[in-house]
């Protein structure tokens, strides 16, 4: 046994990390609010402590004697991960880096100070006189500290600003929101792994969304069908942004948009692997690398192993929103079962009711046969 590893979160998003850490020889201690999630039983030990309870988790980790702490699908959990790592002298990003990379307002400030290509952004709260918010429309409004499209709205005029801000503030933990110039273009996410400040590129993901107003992600495809020249320019932008945020360790997923003229703008950087099966599944299948295993290795002070564990193939994640989506999933199960790599989640009670990424009706990962997009 390599030692005890703490994993924050017990949902199906964390299951690949729990399972892989066990395969690598770690004893898994999972922390989460107790609600019957799959990770509660998949872990070697489950501790019913919410991931936001930093000091309670710190105390328990001291008692256990962990060699590393990590999470792969929660920005909120990452704050606790780095807090505990800092207190125990384990591998993690600094708390200053954590603030800049988990709060959209401080992230935009860092980008502005370091010359990163980023849209103009204004922070607001319940006391802000919204008549003083002056920027070009359309605009995007979102909480400063949430992910998964929660509280996100695209608006086309100042008249819609009060309602959009109210929705974002309701979702925000710190009750603040950002109002940003809307960036046109195709959206991609860019997956990296960092170790001792060296950033290693893994993949670019082509992203499908529901579009305005909330831009809920509906699918992802790797490797993205882009030129080597564009990939090179995207990589340069992302690596500079990672340095601006002082990210030195672990996975990262950077969202960018590229317009018709090839201009690149940063949407945001998440100091974790991409959710929605991007990091846990697509990177492995499209590159062959053990991305999930690398997260555990780095958290425990080990150099990441870049040995390929599968032969690379094009892959995509597909999300179920409607009955039509569900019918296509059932058709594939009947007629092309060999293409289905993993059925991640299925909750038919949510069919047709998606308001953000947390309440889509299902997700599955497939071998892709796309020739065009």
């Amino acid at each position: 046994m390599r030692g005890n590893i703490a994993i924050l979160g017990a949902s199906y998003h964390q299951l690949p990390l729990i399972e892989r850490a066990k395969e690598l020889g770690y004893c898994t201690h999972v922390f989460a609010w107790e609600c019957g999630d799959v990770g509660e039983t998949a872990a070697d030990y489950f501790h019913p402590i919410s991931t936001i309870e930093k000091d309670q988790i710190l105390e328990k980790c001291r008692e256990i004697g962990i060699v590393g702490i990590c999470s792969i699908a929660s920005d909120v959990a990452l704050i606790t991960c780095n807090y505990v790592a800092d207190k125990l002298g384990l591998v993690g990003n600094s708390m200053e880096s954590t603030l800049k990379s988990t709060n959209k307002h401080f992230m935009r400030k860092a980008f502005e100070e370091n010359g990163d290509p980023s849209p103009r952004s204004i922070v607001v709260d319940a006391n802000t006189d919204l008549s003083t918010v002056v920027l070009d429309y359309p605009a995007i409004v979102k909480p400063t500290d949430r992910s998964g499209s929660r509280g996100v709205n695209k608006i086309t005029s100042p008249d819609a600003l009060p309602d959009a801000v109210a929705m974002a503030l309701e979702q925000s933990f710190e009750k603040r929101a950002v109002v940003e110039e809307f960036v046109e273009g195709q959206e991609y996410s860019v997956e990296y792994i960092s170790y001792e400040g060296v950033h290693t590129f893994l993949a670019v993901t082509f992203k499908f969304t529901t579009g305005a107003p909330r831009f809920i992600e509906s699918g992802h495809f790797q490797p993205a069908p882009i030129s080597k020249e564009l990939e090179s320019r995207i990589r340069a932008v992302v690596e500079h942004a990672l340095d601006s945020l002082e990210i030195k360790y672990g996975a990262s997923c950077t969202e960018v948009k590229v317009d018709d003229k090839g201009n690149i703008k940063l949407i945001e950087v998440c100091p974790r692997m991409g959710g929605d099966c991007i990091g846990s599944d697509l990177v492995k299948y499209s590159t062959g690398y053990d991305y999930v295993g690398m997260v555990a290795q780095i958290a425990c002070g080990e150099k990441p192993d870049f040995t390929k564990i599968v032969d690379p193939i094009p892959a995509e994640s597909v999300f179920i929103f409607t009955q039509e989506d569900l019918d296509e999933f059932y058709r594939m199960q009947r007629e092309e079962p060999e293409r289905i790599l993993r059925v991640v989640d299925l909750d038919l009670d949510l069919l047709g009711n998606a308001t953000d990424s947390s309440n889509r009706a299902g997700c599955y990962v497939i071998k892709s046969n796309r020739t065009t997009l």
Side-chain angles (χ1 to χ4, degrees):
M1 187 68 66
R2 284 180 160 180
N4 296 315
I5 185 171
I7 295 173
L8 302 194
S11 73
Y12 74 89
H13 295 291
Q14 301 293 339
L15 184 60
L17 177 59
I18 297 167
E19 293 178 334
R20 187 64 183 131
K22 292 170 76 170
E23 290 169 355
L24 290 171
Y26 296 105
C27 180
T28 55
H29 290 257
V30 169
F31 295 80
W33 184 265
E34 188 171 15
C35 60
D37 277 338
V38 62
E40 296 177 21
T41 54
D44 294 303
Y45 296 93
F46 174 67
H47 305 280
I49 304 173
S50 169
T51 60
I52 66 172
E53 298 293 345
K54 298 186 294 185
D55 289 306
Q56 288 185 42
I57 292 176
L58 171 61
E59 181 180 350
K60 192 65 180 179
C61 287
R62 276 202 178 106
E63 176 188 326
I64 294 166
I66 62 169
V67 295
I69 182 168
C70 53
S71 181
I72 61 173
S74 170
D75 292 347
V76 176
L78 284 173
I79 297 172
T80 300
C81 282
N82 288 327
Y83 175 81
V84 172
D86 179 66
K87 295 295 185 182
L88 297 183
L90 300 172
V91 171
N93 291 306
S94 70
M95 294 311 296
E96 182 178 357
S97 170
T98 303
L99 175 63
K100 291 191 290 188
S101 57
T102 59
N103 185 292
K104 295 175 178 61
H105 171 54
F106 291 107
M107 183 180 297
R108 291 285 181 231
K109 283 185 63 179
F111 289 160
E112 182 178 356
E113 291 168 0
N114 290 278
D116 296 285
S118 176
R120 182 167 171 258
S121 176
I122 300 170
V123 65
V124 299
D125 60 26
N127 298 315
T128 302
D129 179 357
L130 296 182
S131 67
T132 64
V133 175
V134 179
L135 77 171
D136 294 333
Y137 285 82
I140 198 90
V141 182
K142 45 191 164 182
T144 55
D145 52 1
R146 295 304 299 267
S147 59
S149 300
R150 294 175 182 87
V152 173
N153 267 295
K154 178 186 178 184
I155 58 176
T156 58
S157 74
D159 293 340
L161 186 59
D163 286 345
V165 168
M167 179 180 292
L169 294 180
E170 183 179 357
Q171 290 291 326
S172 172
F173 292 116
E174 67 171 5
K175 302 306 177 187
R176 296 206 299 174
V178 287
V179 185
E180 302 181 343
E181 294 172 341
F182 180 73
V183 178
E184 300 288 351
Q186 173 57 47
E187 185 173 342
Y188 301 91
S189 68
V190 193
E191 323 310 319
Y192 268 82
I193 193 79
S194 301
Y195 181 70
E196 295 182 342
V198 176
H199 312 301
T200 301
F201 168 76
L202 297 174
V204 177
T205 310
F206 188 96
K207 305 185 83 168
F208 302 92
T209 78
T210 58
R214 293 186 173 85
F215 300 93
I216 306 170
E217 294 178 14
S218 56
H220 308 96
F221 173 64
Q222 280 184 11
I226 60 174
S227 68
K228 287 296 183 183
E229 184 271 339
L230 177 56
E231 179 188 296
S232 178
R233 292 196 296 115
I234 289 174
R235 289 171 62 172
V237 168
V238 171
E239 289 172 22
H240 192 278
L242 293 174
D243 286 338
S244 294
L245 299 178
E246 300 180 67
I247 293 173
K248 298 183 182 299
Y249 292 98
S252 62
C253 174
T254 301
E255 294 176 345
V256 301
K257 277 191 175 181
V258 182
D259 67 17
D260 292 340
K261 297 180 180 178
N263 297 309
I264 301 166
K265 281 287 182 73
L266 289 159
I267 304 304
E268 66 181 41
V269 176
C270 297
R272 55 167 171 78
M273 62 170 53
D276 291 344
C277 304
I278 293 174
S280 59
D281 294 87
L282 298 190
V283 170
K284 178 180 75 173
Y285 288 117
S286 76
T287 69
Y289 293 129
D290 183 11
Y291 194 21
V292 175
M294 291 180 190
V295 170
Q297 290 167 339
I298 290 172
C300 296
E302 300 181 28
K303 189 174 182 179
D305 183 356
F306 285 93
T307 302
K308 294 195 176 186
I309 58 173
V310 298
D311 293 328
I313 58 170
E316 59 185 293
S317 57
V318 183
F319 290 87
I320 298 171
F321 290 79
T322 65
Q323 183 63 49
E324 184 179 1
D325 297 335
L326 183 62
D327 291 342
E328 170 59 19
F329 169 66
Y330 287 149
R331 183 205 67 77
M332 188 170 289
Q333 279 190 318
R334 292 191 309 270
E335 301 176 12
E336 302 178 276
E338 71 284 353
R339 288 184 57 204
I340 299 177
L341 299 169
R342 184 162 78 104
V343 179
V344 182
D345 191 37
L346 194 62
D347 185 348
L348 300 187
D349 291 337
L350 296 175
L351 203 64
N353 295 315
T355 57
D356 57 49
S357 296
S358 70
N359 51 25
R360 294 165 295 193
C363 175
Y364 57 105
V365 180
I366 61 173
K367 299 177 184 178
S368 182
N369 58 7
R370 288 181 182 273
T371 55
T372 60
L373 292 169

